[in-house]
Amino acid sequence: MAAKRHERTRARRSALALLYTSEITDEGATKIAEEGRYLAEDGPLPDYATALVRGVEAHRMAIDKHLAATSENWALARMPIVDRSILRLATYEMMYVDDVPTSVTINEAVELAKDFGGEDESPRFVNGVLGRIAKILDEEKAAPKSAPVNGAAEETPKEA
């Protein structure tokens, strides 16, 4: 279990580097990875890093919607690039990766912010935004399912 945790920590760091590079170069992170234009200090790109990057790119609109709604007094475009990349990565993981507990995702994101964050306040900012997103996601999961699409109420059989 610890090996998998370490492997995923390394993968998140690699994914963050790709997302950051993508923002700086205005190119897709997946394209950068496929062309091998990333630092390979720790060896080849982990599969989980590739999955994270592809997921962030595929779901970026939904991710950014959550970020914009929860990052009080911070427009997404005004956030430091590193913080924005960390938040996108963690939000993707919270929303779409079922086998990683939310608390682990938040802790890993805070550690990334400590190591790479744009400002001294980065870890606290990342923790606060992700905490609010986690709360929203929990509320969405707990909410009762909506009515049928056509708006018609389901009929229950009547007793004779």
Side-chain angles (χ1 to χ4, degrees), residues 24-36:
I24 296 295
T25 62
D26 200 28
E27 293 181 76
T30 301
K31 179 181 176 189
I32 293 167
E34 288 171 353
E35 293 176 357

Side-chain angles (χ1 to χ4, degrees), residues 16 82-83 86 108-119 122-124 126:
L16 174 61
V82 173
D83 292 353
I86 291 169
E108 290 277 324
V110 169
E111 289 302 315
L112 287 171
K114 286 178 184 175
D115 291 344
F116 304 108
E119 299 178 14
S122 289
R124 201 172 76 180
V126 165

Side-chain angles (χ1 to χ4, degrees), residues 14-88:
S14 297
L16 174 61
L18 284 167
L19 293 172
Y20 180 83
T21 302
S22 173
E23 288 265 346
I24 296 295
T25 62
D26 200 28
E27 293 181 76
T30 301
K31 179 181 176 189
I32 293 167
E34 288 171 353
E35 293 176 357
R37 295 185 292 125
Y38 57 87
L39 291 176
E41 296 174 340
D42 298 327
L45 191 65
D47 291 340
Y48 190 62
T50 303
L52 290 172
V53 167
R54 285 186 177 145
V56 168
E57 287 183 333
H59 300 283
R60 188 162 160 188
M61 286 181 63
I63 292 166
D64 284 357
K65 181 180 173 185
H66 276 289
L67 291 175
T70 56
S71 56
E72 297 171 355
N73 304 317
W74 276 94
L76 209 53
R78 289 194 60 232
M79 287 179 195
I81 294 171
V82 173
D83 292 353
R84 183 172 55 235
S85 297
I86 291 169
L87 288 168
R88 283 179 174 150

Side-chain angles (χ1 to χ4, degrees), residues 122-157:
S122 289
R124 201 172 76 180
F125 174 69
V126 165
N127 188 53
V129 171
L130 294 177
R132 287 188 289 278
I133 290 172
K135 184 177 178 187
I136 290 168
L137 293 175
D138 284 346
E139 289 170 358
E140 287 174 359
K141 286 179 185 175
K145 299 293 179 203
S146 60
V149 176
N150 65 7
E154 292 183 20
E155 291 186 20
T156 54

